[in-house]
Amino acid sequence: MMKKYDAYKDSGVKWIGEIPNHWEAIKISRVHPIIGSGTTPLSSREDYYSEKGLNWLQTGDLNNGLITETSKKITPKAVDECKMKFYPIHSVVIAMYGATIGKVGLLDIETATNQACCIIVPSKRICPKYTFYSFIIANRSYEKSVIYWK
């Protein structure tokens, strides 16, 4: 059973409805100060890709679930020359455009990503799974995602 509060207010988001009066809506960047994206090494450079290389996530790897592997791997040379960033476990990844727009993943591996991925790095202020499920729900309801913080 859900805890009862003394007073409620409209959240401003149709699918959420009313929220406790003392909760506030804040921008996701105030909860997750590190939000980034990735890079795609030139596909014509065979020396940038290797089956036994380092993880490189593409939006096609997003499955609205836990990400435990990537379909492509990159070499240390690609990392150095293309200035690739690696994102930590528990980061939330969202496809920003293309056929997979709106797909979400929660990293269970460290990985670099392509430029079509938005990566929300975990923060001590909020549970990464909460952020992940917020985007899953927002995607399903076709409404803007708003995270509430007590």
Side-chain angles (χ1 to χ4, degrees), residues 23-42:
W23 288 11
E24 64 177 306
I26 60 174
K27 291 182 177 184
I28 195 165
S29 60
R30 303 252 326 260
V31 179
H32 292 280
I34 303 173
I35 299 175
S37 67
T39 305
T40 298
L42 287 173

Side-chain angles (χ1 to χ4, degrees), residues 7 13 17 19 31 33 41 46 50 56 60 62 68-69 80 94 109 120 126 143:
V13 179
I19 60 172
V31 179
E46 290 181 18
S50 169
W56 180 63
L62 298 176
T68 58
E69 62 182 322
D80 292 340
I94 306 159
I109 55 172
I120 301 170
I126 193 166
E143 298 244 357

Side-chain angles (χ1 to χ4, degrees), residues 59-79:
T59 58
D61 295 327
L62 298 176
N63 59 12
N64 290 337
L66 196 62
I67 303 298
T68 58
E69 62 182 322
T70 60
S71 60
K72 291 216 173 180
K73 309 283 186 190
I74 55 174
T75 63
K77 184 174 187 171
V79 172

Side-chain angles (χ1 to χ4, degrees), residues 2-122:
M2 201 162 118
K3 181 179 177 182
K4 300 286 183 188
Y5 293 94
D6 293 333
Y8 290 83
K9 63 183 176 183
D10 183 26
S11 68
V13 179
K14 186 178 179 180
W15 60 270
I16 293 177
E18 290 190 329
I19 60 172
N21 205 37
H22 64 281
W23 288 11
E24 64 177 306
I26 60 174
K27 291 182 177 184
I28 195 165
S29 60
R30 303 252 326 260
V31 179
H32 292 280
I34 303 173
I35 299 175
S37 67
T39 305
T40 298
L42 287 173
S43 58
S44 60
R45 295 281 307 264
E46 290 181 18
D47 57 336
Y48 281 175
Y49 298 90
S50 169
E51 288 182 23
K52 296 183 183 205
L54 304 165
N55 294 320
W56 180 63
L57 185 79
Q58 303 171 91
T59 58
D61 295 327
L62 298 176
N63 59 12
N64 290 337
L66 196 62
I67 303 298
T68 58
E69 62 182 322
T70 60
S71 60
K72 291 216 173 180
K73 309 283 186 190
I74 55 174
T75 63
K77 184 174 187 171
V79 172
D80 292 340
E81 292 182 6
C82 300
K83 300 183 179 12
M84 308 290 287
K85 291 182 196 174
F86 279 78
Y87 291 96
I89 292 171
H90 301 136
S91 293
V92 175
V93 185
I94 306 159
M96 295 190 288
Y97 49 83
T100 56
I101 191 168
K103 286 278 195 176
V104 183
L106 181 63
L107 295 183
D108 196 37
I109 55 172
E110 288 187 0
T111 187
T113 71
N114 72 8
Q115 69 279 2
C117 295
C118 172
I119 300 89
I120 301 170
V121 176

